[in-house]
């Protein structure tokens, strides 16, 4: 593939001046181009309409705005000034927040695993664990991206959102324990995906403040972009008929007051609508707009635009399993900072402190009130009481379980968890509509561990975790009288999903993997390259429509996808712009 990484000097200077002009907007709170969708006109026109202001949508909009008029539609609100997003210590509380205004919208897969999808400008970068790492060069080349251009796009992202974390004692012990367990060499700090043990980047700065994909909008040309918040896109509009291919030409969206708005593409055959609504949102919106499996769409009385059976297929989520390790020593608050990249396709990471269990705060005035903790992924509120039958998982039962856990001594929850997650994965599933409401979650099946290779990688990863726990480096943070079997049994009792448990969880690592599977929020697929979109991310069978986000991925990149999805938004924005300018300049020379 020919490189398009060389950007004209004038574009570099313009971008630099834009960045300087936004230097006072350290947190982006003064974006003059962002406003609530209630202030949008009933009808508007743009060169590009991007649906989804998330991990890919923000860098994509910022890039295209340098030359064109761009509308960015985000169904959620702003992350700025929202402590649930900006403060690292609120990580698990945000995931457990099921209120209508939460930046995290919970969904439960048909497999019984609790997950979250973003509902905020900045997307998944606003609610994730913050680890920043690139995909491997092999991944980049296999996908067909230009290697030099991807590295330039990564650097563009990293200048704004990526930081070098300082390891505390617990994370340092994990790093040394991984090396002692044989996950070598020691690669130190790097953004690169390299076999062995490394310290990766973080989107949390040294004050524990989160920096998100929304921060990349500081690169935008203010006159070139409008960002509408709480803009809920209902469907894409197509011109059809006459025996021609359907052509996307606009979108319908509603504001928070329920008022309908329409946005159309300006005249010009290179103007486009781009879906960046994520692995759930993009295939869902294609179906709601009439592009998808014909029989499924007709069952919801959706007018068929294009029979495309592959929409919603290939859904996957990298399964995660964790072992909780109680500590006799105090541990720091940490999210993912260290990763062990094994030879057998499993990645080992860990988190500690109050992101496992928020410490109980004493009530003011010396009262006896004991506010309940939030236990993140392991809480009864999140796990929905996996150990009881589904019909008994009532709000009252959840409240009783939460109260019982909150009465335990703080020392019982001091420690952290070491996790393994499976590369790929090889197991895939599908997505279907539940109804015609774009705000509701579709039905998603990931089929965790349906492929034996995934299960093998899980077991191999757990054996590495066992070696780390037993290592000399980790002795300070383990009780000598706690056996691995005890830790496995303890973890298996936590309500991490809605699956039944088995008696042999501590004796069979295969069963432990299946019973305690969790998400690592790396779900992808549904609009895969070669099935739903072509190599340039154009939707097959229709014109003026692309999908650029994690739904196009056939496998999760590296150990964590967020860096690559942000890079993809920038990469494709530069490519679209350069190819368009070249084509239009070529036509002008011909004239």
């Amino acid at each position: 593939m020919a490189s398009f990484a060389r950007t004209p000097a004038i574009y570099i200077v313009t971008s630099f001046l834009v960045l300087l002009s936004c230097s006072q907007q350290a947190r982006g709170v003064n974006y003059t181009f962002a406003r609530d969708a209630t202030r949008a006109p009933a009808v508007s026109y743009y060169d590009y309409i991007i649906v989804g202001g998330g991990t890919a949508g923000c860098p994509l909009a910022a890039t295209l705005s340098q030359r064109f008029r761009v509308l960015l539609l985000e169904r959620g609100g702003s992350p700025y000034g929202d402590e649930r997003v900006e403060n690292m210590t609120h990580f698990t509380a945000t995931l457990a927040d099921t209120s209508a205004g939460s930046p995290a919208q919970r969904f439960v897969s048909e497999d019984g695993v609790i997950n979250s999808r973003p509902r905020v400008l900045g997307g998944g970068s606003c609610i994730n664990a913050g680890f920043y790492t690139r995909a491997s060069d092999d991944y980049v080349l296999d996908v067909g991206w230009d290697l030099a251009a991807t590295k330039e796009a990564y650097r563009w992202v990293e200048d704004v959102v990526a930081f070098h974390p300082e390891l505390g004692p617990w994370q340092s012990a994990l790093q040394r324990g991984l090396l002692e367990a044989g996950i070598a060499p020691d690669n130190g700090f790097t953004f690169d995906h390299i076999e062995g043990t490394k310290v990766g980047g973080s989107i949390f700065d040294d004050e524990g403040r989160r920096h998100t994909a929304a921060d990349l909008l500081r690169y935008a040309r203010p006159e070139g972009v409008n960002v509408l918040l709480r803009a809920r896109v209902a469907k894409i509009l197509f011109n059809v008929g006459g025996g021609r291919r359907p052509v996307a030409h606009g979108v319908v969206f509603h504001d928070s007051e329920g008022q309908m708005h329409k946005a159309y593409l300006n005249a010009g055959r290179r103007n486009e609508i781009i879906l960046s609504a994520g692995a759930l949102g993009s295939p869902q919106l294609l179906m709601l707009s009439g592009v998808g499996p014909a029989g499924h769409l007709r069952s919801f009385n959706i007018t068929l635009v294009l029979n495309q059976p592959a929409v919603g297929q290939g859904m996957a989520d990298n399964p995660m399993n964790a072992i909780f390790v109680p500590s006799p020593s105090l541990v720091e608050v940490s999210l993912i900072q260290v990763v062990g990249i094994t030879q057998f396709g499993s990645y080992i990471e860990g988190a500690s402190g109050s992101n496992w269990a928020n410490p109980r705060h004493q009530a003011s005035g010396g009262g006896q009130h004991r506010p309940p903790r939030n236990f993140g992924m392991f809480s009864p509120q999140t796990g929905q009481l996996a150990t009881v039958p589904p019909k008994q998982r009532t709000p009252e039962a959840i409240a009783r379980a939460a109260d019982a856990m909150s009465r335990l001594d703080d020392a019982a929850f001091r420690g952290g968890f070491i996790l393994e997650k499976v590369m790929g994965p090889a197991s895939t599933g599908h997505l279907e509509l539940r109804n015609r409401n774009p705000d509701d979650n579709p039905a998603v099946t990931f089929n965790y561990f349906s492929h034996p290779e995934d299960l093998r990688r899980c077991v191999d990863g757990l054996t590495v975790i066992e070696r780390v726990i037993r290592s000399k480096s980790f002795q300070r943070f383990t009780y000598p009288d706690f056996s691995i079997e005890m830790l496995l049994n303890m973890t298996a009792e936590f309500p991490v999903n809605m699956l039944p448990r088995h008696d042999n969880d501590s004796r069979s690592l295969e069963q432990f993997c299946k019973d305690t599977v969790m998400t690592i929020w790396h779900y992808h697929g549904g609009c895969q390259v070669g099935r739903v979109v072509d190599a340039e991310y154009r939707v097959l069978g229709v014109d003026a429509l692309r999908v650029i986000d994690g739904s196009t991925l056939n496998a999760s990149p590296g150990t964590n996808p967020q860096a690559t999805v942000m890079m993809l938004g920038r990469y494709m924005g530069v490519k679209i712009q350069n190819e368009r300018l070249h084509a239009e300049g070529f036509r002008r020379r011909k004239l």
Side-chain angles (χ1 to χ4, degrees):
M1 177 184 296
S3 172
F4 54 88
R6 302 179 187 87
T7 309
I10 187 171
Y11 176 66
I12 296 174
V13 172
T14 301
S15 297
F16 179 66
L17 291 175
V18 169
L19 185 58
L20 284 180
S21 70
C22 296
S23 62
Q24 298 304 312
Q25 297 181 340
R27 301 199 183 281
V29 293
N30 295 320
Y31 285 157
T32 58
F33 46 76
R35 62 187 188 276
D36 194 273
T38 54
R39 298 173 57 193
V43 178
S44 55
Y45 294 85
Y46 293 88
D47 300 326
Y48 290 95
I49 299 171
I50 301 173
V51 180
T55 317
C58 286
L60 179 63
T63 301
L64 291 176
S65 74
Q66 294 298 318
R67 295 282 184 176
F68 309 105
R69 287 282 295 146
V70 177
L71 175 63
L72 180 63
L73 297 168
E74 168 52 45
R75 71 190 186 114
S78 170
Y80 299 111
D82 189 337
E83 284 292 294
R84 295 172 299 181
V85 171
E86 294 185 327
N87 191 324
M88 183 180 71
T89 61
H90 292 180
F91 169 65
T92 55
T94 301
L95 292 178
D97 181 359
T98 57
S99 67
S102 172
Q105 180 181 3
R106 176 176 298 170
F107 71 94
V108 181
S109 73
E110 301 304 291
D111 315 272
V113 174
I114 297 91
N115 211 318
S116 291
R117 59 189 293 211
R119 183 170 49 193
V120 60
L121 185 68
S125 66
C126 294
I127 63 172
N128 66 17
F131 196 64
Y132 183 97
T133 181
R134 299 179 178 185
S136 68
D137 288 352
D138 287 342
Y139 184 99
V140 170
L141 294 173
D142 287 345
V143 172
W145 298 330
D146 180 270
L147 191 58
T150 59
K151 290 184 177 180
E152 182 176 327
Y154 275 125
R155 288 191 292 268
W156 182 89
V157 171
E158 288 153 11
D159 285 345
V160 175
V161 305
F163 301 86
H164 181 173
E166 293 295 327
L167 301 189
W170 193 91
Q171 287 281 347
S172 295
L174 175 61
Q175 180 187 25
R176 295 191 303 272
L178 282 165
L179 293 168
E180 195 176 326
I183 311 303
D186 181 358
N187 294 307
F189 169 74
T190 180
F191 291 141
D192 293 333
H193 184 91
I194 309 172
E195 190 175 288
T197 294
K198 75 166 192 172
V199 178
S202 176
I203 62 174
F204 292 100
D205 62 25
D206 57 6
E207 296 178 351
R209 306 298 292 182
R210 183 191 293 269
H211 297 256
T212 76
D215 291 9
L216 299 172
L217 287 169
R218 70 183 62 184
Y219 284 118
R221 180 172 64 93
E223 297 79 13
V225 64
N226 279 335
V227 178
L228 295 181
L229 303 174
R230 301 177 187 87
R232 298 162 12 253
V233 176
K235 66 177 180 178
I236 303 161
L237 301 173
F238 292 94
N239 285 324
V240 296
R244 297 177 298 175
R245 286 160 58 99
V247 180
H249 71 104
V251 299
V252 175
F253 65 95
H254 296 87
D255 60 34
S256 58
E257 297 178 355
Q259 295 300 309
M260 185 178 73
H261 306 256
K262 293 182 179 180
Y264 293 101
L265 294 177
N266 285 321
R269 69 184 187 90
R270 292 187 177 274
N271 295 334
E272 293 177 314
I273 294 168
I274 303 176
L275 289 183
S276 295
L280 269 65
S282 288
Q284 178 186 29
L285 192 53
L286 280 179
M287 291 184 189
L288 291 174
S289 305
V291 178
H296 183 56
L297 301 191
R298 287 177 180 138
S299 70
F300 290 95
N301 294 318
I302 295 172
T303 300
L304 186 67
V305 172
L306 177 71
N307 179 25
Q308 174 43 289
V311 173
Q313 298 301 306
M315 295 297 300
D317 184 25
N318 301 76
M320 179 182 81
N321 294 84
I323 298 178
F324 177 62
V325 187
S327 171
S329 305
L330 293 176
V331 299
E332 73 270 16
V333 176
S334 73
L335 290 173
I336 309 302
Q337 296 176 330
V338 173
V339 61
I341 300 175
T342 71
Q343 295 179 340
F344 50 79
S346 183
Y347 305 132
I348 315 298
E349 300 170 345
S352 62
S354 64
N355 281 306
W356 145 246
N358 294 334
R360 183 185 294 112
H361 299 289
Q362 295 298 323
S364 59
Q368 298 301 310
H369 176 62
R370 294 158 65 91
R373 293 185 191 87
N374 179 281
F375 299 101
M377 290 179 296
F378 300 107
S379 71
Q381 296 95 329
T382 302
Q384 296 290 303
L385 295 176
T387 56
V388 301
K391 291 184 179 180
Q392 297 178 29
R393 297 173 192 146
T394 64
E396 294 76 17
I398 293 171
R400 287 194 299 270
D403 181 67
M405 290 182 77
S406 71
R407 294 177 184 278
L408 294 173
D409 188 83
D410 288 332
F413 299 96
R414 187 168 58 210
F417 62 90
I418 305 177
L419 64 91
E420 70 79 33
K421 56 191 179 187
V422 170
M423 182 180 74
S427 305
T428 62
H430 60 277
L431 175 151
E432 295 179 332
L433 298 176
R434 292 186 190 276
N435 54 44
R436 296 178 58 171
N437 186 347
D439 293 332
D440 288 349
N441 292 316
V444 190
T445 303
F446 293 119
N447 289 326
Y448 296 104
F449 297 124
S450 59
H451 194 290
E453 183 67 12
D454 292 339
L455 191 59
R456 181 192 66 78
R457 288 171 172 169
C458 177
V459 170
D460 288 346
L462 290 174
T463 61
V464 172
I465 294 176
E466 291 181 9
R467 294 202 299 270
V468 172
I469 294 171
R470 291 191 176 114
S471 68
K472 292 181 179 179
S473 301
F474 214 71
Q475 280 182 344
R476 174 183 170 188
F477 299 107
T478 58
Y479 287 96
D481 54 342
F482 274 35
S483 67
I484 293 297
E485 289 72 21
M486 288 178 64
L487 297 179
L488 290 170
N489 283 328
M490 180 188 305
T491 304
E493 288 302 313
F494 290 131
V496 296
N497 57 40
M498 299 175 69
L499 301 174
R501 297 293 184 269
H502 295 81
D503 293 335
N504 63 337
D505 278 330
S506 65
R507 297 192 299 275
S508 166
L509 290 182
E510 288 85 356
Q511 196 63 58
F512 181 88
C513 288
K514 293 177 180 179
D515 284 359
T516 66
V517 62
M518 292 176 282
T519 183
I520 192 66
W521 310 287
H522 293 178
Y523 48 91
H524 53 278
C527 297
Q528 291 176 315
V529 172
R531 302 181 73 184
V532 176
V533 299
D534 65 16
E536 303 301 320
Y537 299 93
R538 298 184 182 95
V539 176
L540 298 168
V542 301
D543 290 330
L545 180 63
R546 299 194 203 217
V547 180
I548 300 175
D549 60 21
S551 70
T552 64
L553 301 178
N554 294 306
S556 189
T559 63
N560 299 74
Q562 77 162 335
T564 300
V565 176
M566 284 191 277
M567 180 282 295
L568 179 62
R570 169 64 175 177
Y571 175 93
M572 284 306 300
V574 171
K575 188 171 187 181
I576 291 169
Q577 174 181 255
N578 287 354
E579 290 179 348
R580 179 168 180 168
L581 292 175
H582 174 77
E584 291 178 351
F586 179 72
R587 285 206 305 274
R588 284 196 295 269
R589 285 196 297 273
K590 285 183 66 176
L591 293 172

